[in-house]
Amino acid sequence: MSHLKDDSGAKLGMWLFLFTELLLFGGLFLLYSAYLSRYPHDFSSAGRQLNVVFGTINTVVLLTSSLFVAMAVTAVQRGEPRRTLWLLGGTILCAAIFMAIKYVEWSTKILHGIYPNSPHLAAGPPGESVFFSLYFMTTGIHGLHVLIGATLLAWVGAKVKRGAVHSGDYILLENGALYWHLVDLIWIFIFPLYYLIL
Amino acid sequence: MTSDTSAHHIVGYGKLAQVWLALLALTALTVLITRVELGGYKVLGALTIACLKSGLVIAFFMHMKYEGRLLRWLLFVALVTLAIFIGFTFFDVLYR
């Protein structure tokens, strides 16, 4: 067995994986739009119950986290490990803020009896129930990606600190950053579809 | 833009910050246009802006602008697949 490293192969693999993720969320967006065309009024009244302020803050938080992680890649390429670590820390902090806001949003909804298969939704119009099921499923899977991405970046950060990821070998950070940007990309579509257009 | 040097392309902090500012401006714009009543144009406008934003993220943050032909073609194929997937479903949903 040779230990030849193939960074462009590793990056290609990461992109192929990201395409499968794109199709996964694409399927969820497709379900959303098909049901939107079936229940336009119910979707409208349900969508207006979401908090646009929280949605907008979370959009800014994720865009900023994407900037930090892109800068972290630049920093590692330029051989600035301390700056790389600070930027990764900033990304993870943004992930924590995002999840905290998501927690407040979800718990407020659940307190008001809005959760999949709740008696409140079962008694209401069918389209609202479908909307909130899709909302919890899509933002739930997205939130899971935020948690996984932040863990991945923390792990890469530990490697930067030990000197295992450096200006000569940074494919792990590059791929971790690509995964993080995907999380941001998905939110770029969740935000208008769920919070704005209804 | 050749595939050999692309792996080592470094995007400066200034350029990344500019892209971030553009993304924030587009976010503000999308919130503003969806607060006024534009009917169907609201959806079209919001989705166009979302596509622009993802284009910026993919091109600069994800370095796609500096990647070789292989990755760019693969991205194209993935997006076309997604478009077919969504487009054909809508032929069914809208004209049933």
Side-chain angles (χ1 to χ4, degrees), chain A residues 133-190:
Chain A
S133 295
L134 283 170
Y135 165 77
F136 279 108
M137 174 124 106
T138 310
T139 59
I141 296 178
H142 178 266
L144 194 64
H145 280 74
V146 173
L147 290 178
I148 294 170
T151 312
L152 193 67
L153 290 177
W155 174 69
V156 174
K159 282 186 173 282
V160 172
K161 196 166 179 156
R162 272 191 276 127
V165 169
H166 51 80
S167 60
D169 178 11
Y170 53 81
I171 186 66
L172 278 179
L173 177 53
E174 231 181 343
N175 278 347
L178 283 175
Y179 185 83
W180 190 260
H181 293 308
L182 177 94
V183 169
D184 187 26
L185 274 183
I186 301 301
W187 186 262
I188 285 176
F189 285 93
I190 291 180

Side-chain angles (χ1 to χ4, degrees), chain A residues 38-86:
Chain A
R38 185 184 292 184
Y39 302 112
H41 299 295
D42 292 357
F43 264 50
S44 209
S45 57
R48 285 183 184 163
Q49 296 174 43
L50 294 184
N51 189 322
V52 181
V53 176
F54 282 151
T56 310
I57 294 172
N58 261 350
T59 304
V60 173
V61 167
L62 272 194
L63 289 174
T64 308
S65 73
S66 249
L67 170 73
F68 285 158
V69 82
M71 282 178 151
V73 171
T74 301
V76 81
Q77 285 172 322
R78 289 185 173 168
E80 303 167 335
R82 276 186 63 83
R83 185 175 279 173
T84 311
L85 280 175
W86 276 108

